[in-house]
Amino acid sequence: MPVDYPLLYSFHFYLFGVIAVGSALLFVTRKSPVAAALWLVNVMFCLAALYVMMDAHFIGAIQVLVYTGAIMVVFLFVIMLLNLGHADGPADFRSPSTRMAAAVVGLALAGETLALLAAPMPRLPVVEVPENVVSPVARALFTDYLLAFEITSVLLLVAIIGAVTLAKRGVKA
Amino acid sequence: MMPLPAPALLAGAIDPQLPMHDFWPFTLTTIVKLAIVFSVYMVGVALLTYAERKISAWIQDRHGPMEVGPWGLLQVAADGVKNFMKEETYPAAANKTLFILAPMLAFIPALLTWAVIPFASPLPTPWGLMSMAVADLPVGFLFTLAISSLGVYGIVLAGWASNNKYALLGGLRSSAQMISYEIAMGMSTVAVLLLAGNVNLNTIILQQATMGWNVLLLSVAFLLFFVATYAETNRLPFDLPEAESELIAGYHTEYSAMKFSLFPISEYANMVTASALTSVLFFGGWDIPFTTWDNLPPWTVTKTLLTLGFFAMKVIFFLFTFMWIRWTLPRFRYDQLMSLGWKVMLPVALAYVVVVAGAVLALDMAHVARGTKAFSGALLLLNLACVAGLVVWMDRGRVVSPAASRLRGGELNRLRAVAGRSRLARVGLER
């Protein structure tokens, strides 16, 4: 059963949706890493806007803070430091193996989307937006998903150790 | 289209003390708020450039701008006209799209951050109670952190797109600096959020009205936040991205006319936002000190105006501090900047979070209610101990303990002999 959304809501949903999809296409087709990274920033930003439209303000803010704010800046930093960024025009897709891989992944994704559209959408009960937007997330994070949360921090620790090891190896050589 | 509310409805049915709910009044008042805040902000930023020149002049015993208008007040307008009339230059090797985009990317986040800052107590209107922030978001503080973290894009891209080695160095420095200090800034505010129990800025202000200002309860967090805001706004002693003595003008070396002008404008806009955030998080925001009548309903227009005045005073004080420090301290070296951020501020902020969280947990477990004198007093005592410890540690035995104690005996005697001789020489008594 289709749900009627207010006009303003649908307008913004399609606005951010179209920008996100368009930016994502530009992101995968640019040759210059800086341009590609910036289009990816745009995608992340539109996703944050969509989260906010679902009244998930906290996730929206964290999306901008972590992905657009921190991770992408580090990406840019590395690109600039290695001075990779001066290629121009669209990316190169001529190799047959990349074309094959792209086709397989694309078909799989299209099939998945169609399957999801055909399946009945679960109707979740509407929950009132709480006064304090952080504590429900925190409660879930530190009770139901504690193990996953802690394992993620171990993953980050491994990444840090890896970075330090790589940096040290450069110093000795 | 929905009809506008009829005057009869305005007169009686809606309680001015309850939050606004209807669509049209909310939209229209928000647009009015936007227009007013934007104009005050832009004029304020323009006047800040004047204030900076005057304050720098007074600190250096000069007059500053005096020619255009009375006391040089119209210098701002003259500069604006000059910047609009100047030729826009584009370096031949620049990436033109990003070169044009970069000043905008620096400017927009600087403006956006102001949207969530509450600048006065709520105003009663015939359509209901109006929040005195452009958008009183439930995630207010996280929004400011998120948007201010985007400000670095403008600077980094300006540096990269110019295709100039000095500009690139400036851009690289700014990204490293802003990421490093963003972490310390975020961590230092965790203590504030622990006390408030919420990230909404108005809740943080009300928490300070009941418990006492956070600068007294969480001074260490305030010091860390204060230092980090200077790094985030690229102000001296953290202006390494510009560093005119080594990088010409850093990331904006290649910019001219209004595109150049947008970088200083965004810097000043960031300063205003940083000052406002400092007052909201640590100095009670629009709270009037030593009274409680301003924090309680019924809300009146007088309360709104008075609290607005107090908030403005706090912001102006911090803006003055920004300029005062700029014309007092020299610039850091790059390695000093990095070691301060990662080896001092981040560990201190992390340790402080543990200390404050432990203290709050202990007080909760001892059934000391928040907002009572006992709760605030306990935190105040803990804070005094933390500040004393931090001062002794940061001092590295230079002031608090005598410098002499760090020297070996023989060296000390030699220095005393030198000092004695030069003192004698000064008064002409040396034999």
Side-chain angles (χ1 to χ4, degrees), chain A residues 95-114:
Chain A
S95 137
S97 55
T98 45
R99 284 187 181 186
M100 287 283 283
V104 169
V105 174
L107 280 175
L109 274 177
E112 196 182 345
T113 315
L114 285 176

Side-chain angles (χ1 to χ4, degrees), chain B residues 81-361:
Chain B
V81 171
K82 184 192 82 174
N83 274 323
F84 275 113
M85 306 292 278
K86 270 176 101 169
E87 184 194 353
E88 304 253 358
T89 53
Y90 298 97
N95 181 325
K96 202 165 171 185
T97 325
L98 290 181
F99 188 78
I100 295 171
L101 198 65
M104 304 178 200
L105 283 181
F107 176 64
I108 292 169
L111 268 183
L112 267 184
T113 344
W114 186 267
V116 291
I117 289 172
F119 43 85
S121 62
L123 180 72
T125 63
W127 307 281
L129 201 61
M130 184 169 85
S131 157
M132 287 304 263
V134 175
D136 192 10
L137 293 183
V139 286
F141 177 63
L142 288 176
F143 177 86
T144 56
L145 273 190
I147 299 294
S148 65
S149 72
L150 298 180
V152 66
Y153 279 107
I155 294 175
V156 169
L157 289 177
W160 183 79
S162 300
N163 213 348
N164 168 320
K165 57 172 90 70
Y166 296 112
L168 182 66
L169 278 174
L172 279 174
R173 279 182 181 186
S174 86
S175 58
Q177 170 179 324
M178 287 174 90
I179 290 175
S180 310
Y181 282 80
E182 206 177 273
I183 296 170
M185 187 165 96
M187 283 295 162
S188 69
T189 50
V190 171
V192 176
L193 303 181
L194 278 175
L195 279 194
N198 202 328
V199 286
N200 178 279
L201 291 175
N202 260 322
T203 318
I204 293 175
I205 291 174
L206 289 178
Q207 169 252 321
Q208 294 180 73
T210 52
M211 284 191 204
W213 288 2
N214 280 336
V215 65
L216 297 174
L217 303 179
L218 307 166
S219 305
V220 176
F222 165 67
L223 286 174
L224 294 171
F225 183 81
F226 192 64
V227 174
T229 52
Y230 279 67
E232 289 290 303
T233 46
N234 293 320
R235 292 284 294 188
L236 266 167
F238 295 99
D239 73 334
L240 283 103
E242 298 191 35
E244 64 272 10
S245 53
E246 37 196 298
L247 295 183
I248 308 180
Y251 61 93
H252 56 59
T253 304
E254 297 285 0
Y255 282 88
S256 67
M258 208 55 207
K259 279 211 280 300
F260 159 74
S261 195
L262 274 179
F263 287 113
I265 288 176
S266 53
E267 181 184 315
Y268 284 101
N270 275 325
M271 272 164 59
V272 180
T273 313
S275 305
L277 262 186
T278 313
S279 23
V280 166
L281 292 178
F282 295 100
F283 287 80
W286 45 261
D287 177 43
I288 301 175
F290 309 117
T291 58
T292 47
W293 67 273
D294 57 303
N295 305 108
L296 299 168
W299 307 108
T300 58
V301 180
T302 326
K303 278 182 190 177
T304 304
L305 289 177
L306 272 176
T307 48
L308 180 66
F310 266 83
F311 184 67
M313 279 199 289
K314 290 172 192 174
V315 172
I316 288 169
F317 172 75
F318 286 112
L319 285 171
F320 172 72
T321 317
F322 264 105
M323 294 171 187
W324 183 15
I325 286 180
R326 171 168 178 187
W327 299 100
T328 307
L329 293 181
R331 182 181 303 130
F332 277 119
R333 228 171 41 219
Y334 189 72
D335 59 319
Q336 293 171 330
L337 171 96
M338 282 294 136
S339 67
L340 177 68
W342 290 103
K343 293 185 190 161
V344 178
M345 288 181 53
L346 182 60
V348 169
L350 283 173
Y352 196 60
V353 168
V354 175
V355 169
V356 171
V360 172
L361 186 67

